[in-house]
Structure formats: C-alpha cells, structure tokens
Amino acid sequence: MHFAAEAQVGEGDGCVPQFNNTKCPAFWELQAPHVTRELRPQDLEGFFYELAFHDYTQYPLCLFTPRCVTSSKQVQEHEDGTKFVNDTWNLSCAGHPYPQQLLFNITDHPGYLLGYWPKANIPYLPTWIVAGMVFPDTVVDFRSGPQGWLLEFQCVEWKGHVVFVGINFYAKAKEEASFAEMEHAAR
C-alpha cells in the first residue's frame, strides 16, 4: 500500500506504517501527492477493466472465481446539485451476471468519495447488511487519458474494527503496463 507520509513516519528508526485492522487510514495518508492537485472529475469517468482486487463483495461472497469484472463510471448530479460518480459494474459469478450500481458522492477533497449501494445484488449477501452503509473511497493514485487507470481503496469501520477493505485496480486498457504502474503505486 502506498502511504504518502511513509518517508516522515519513523524515519531513521526502522518503523514502517502498519495497517492495524482497528482504524481505517485517512484518505490523505494514502493518496499520492499529485492526486489532490491534478485529479479532475472527468478522470473518474469511462469504461474500466478491473485488473486486480482485494474485495469481499467479489470473493469470497462469490465462491467461484469472479470473472468479467468491469466498471462504467459517469459523473452525474443529484437534484440538490451534489456531484456523484454513477459506478455501474458487472460481476460474473458461476457463469451468472450480477450487475451492480454504486453511487459515490464527490466531496470537497479531490479523490475522496463517499459511496453507497442503492440496491445490492451480490451473491449470498443479504441486502440489509449494506443498506445505509457508507463506503469511504479514496483514489490512491491515477493516470488520466485513454490509457488511464484508477487505484482505489475503500475501508469501513464498525464497532472499533475494520470490517471491510476493498482495493481495486481499474484500467481503461487491459495492459500489463497499466497493471505494473498501479502495482508500483500501491506499494
């Protein structure tokens, strides 16, 4: 995981930040410095392939290897003027499609979004579990343009414990070079 403050934390004493499963990291602890300066809402739009993930809504809830995970993201506006990303993604589990829609409200902090599920359709996941749940979503790093990609991190706390972590590697092109750049950014 890329920690923006890694060089300052414990410098010289061998300490490296550790994920402790009791508290989610703040978005500013995760983002590459250029994200807050350069990320624009249009960088969040497009058709993406999910090249890799760590996400319990995909596995192990889908007991079989999830396939054909894609995401179509469009920036839209609620009636009150709040901008959001309409993230329509597809999950194929055991040969059956499970189309999903997640909405991510755009905040005043570039690359920090607040996501929610209007209606979950995940295999073996009762809808009441995620009803009303907010998924803080951080764009850790990105590259804009037709060969663009997004590295996203989601983390949810409940009763003093981290109960969900999602790390998603989204790329507009299925290319090894895109995956290698995202993997480097994640470390």
Side-chain angles (χ1 to χ4, degrees):
M1 181 58 55
H2 171 76
F3 286 89
E6 188 170 2
Q8 292 93 18
V9 177
E11 192 171 321
D13 64 5
C15 295
V16 176
Q18 299 293 317
F19 193 81
N20 65 18
N21 288 319
T22 59
K23 184 88 177 134
C24 292
F27 70 90
W28 62 83
E29 295 177 287
L30 300 170
Q31 287 183 326
H34 77 103
V35 173
T36 57
R37 292 187 314 268
E38 299 171 13
L39 184 72
R40 301 160 303 163
Q42 57 264 38
D43 294 321
L44 303 171
E45 292 188 304
F47 184 84
F48 294 85
Y49 299 95
E50 190 166 31
L51 302 183
F53 61 84
H54 166 84
D55 190 329
Y56 289 142
T57 64
Q58 296 174 32
Y59 179 85
L61 285 176
C62 173
L63 301 175
F64 307 92
T65 303
R67 303 217 183 277
C68 302
V69 182
T70 60
S71 174
S72 180
K73 301 173 188 279
Q74 294 180 325
V75 175
Q76 297 176 341
E77 201 170 292
H78 290 294
E79 288 182 12
D80 68 359
T82 303
K83 290 190 178 193
F84 69 97
V85 177
N86 185 344
D87 184 353
T88 305
W89 57 279
N90 292 296
L91 167 69
S92 178
C93 179
H96 298 285
Y98 291 91
Q100 307 295 317
Q101 181 187 36
L102 281 164
L103 303 180
F104 291 92
N105 288 340
I106 295 173
T107 69
D108 292 337
H109 306 285
Y112 180 62
L113 309 147
L114 298 174
Y116 60 96
W117 241 310
K119 184 175 189 265
N121 182 26
I122 299 287
Y124 311 109
L125 179 68
T127 56
W128 61 266
I129 289 178
V130 295
M133 185 179 287
V134 174
F135 291 85
D137 182 45
T138 299
V139 175
V140 175
D141 207 346
F142 79 104
R143 180 171 60 159
S144 61
Q147 300 298 310
W149 51 261
L150 299 167
L151 175 59
E152 296 183 13
F153 179 86
Q154 300 166 358
C155 190
V156 176
E157 298 171 24
W158 187 63
K159 294 189 177 186
H161 297 284
V162 172
V163 295
F164 173 78
V165 172
I167 304 168
N168 307 95
F169 290 65
Y170 291 118
K172 291 183 178 178
K174 284 185 178 182
E175 294 181 355
E176 186 62 36
S178 295
F179 177 75
E181 288 178 13
M182 287 186 283
E183 185 177 34
H184 178 74
R187 294 195 182 274

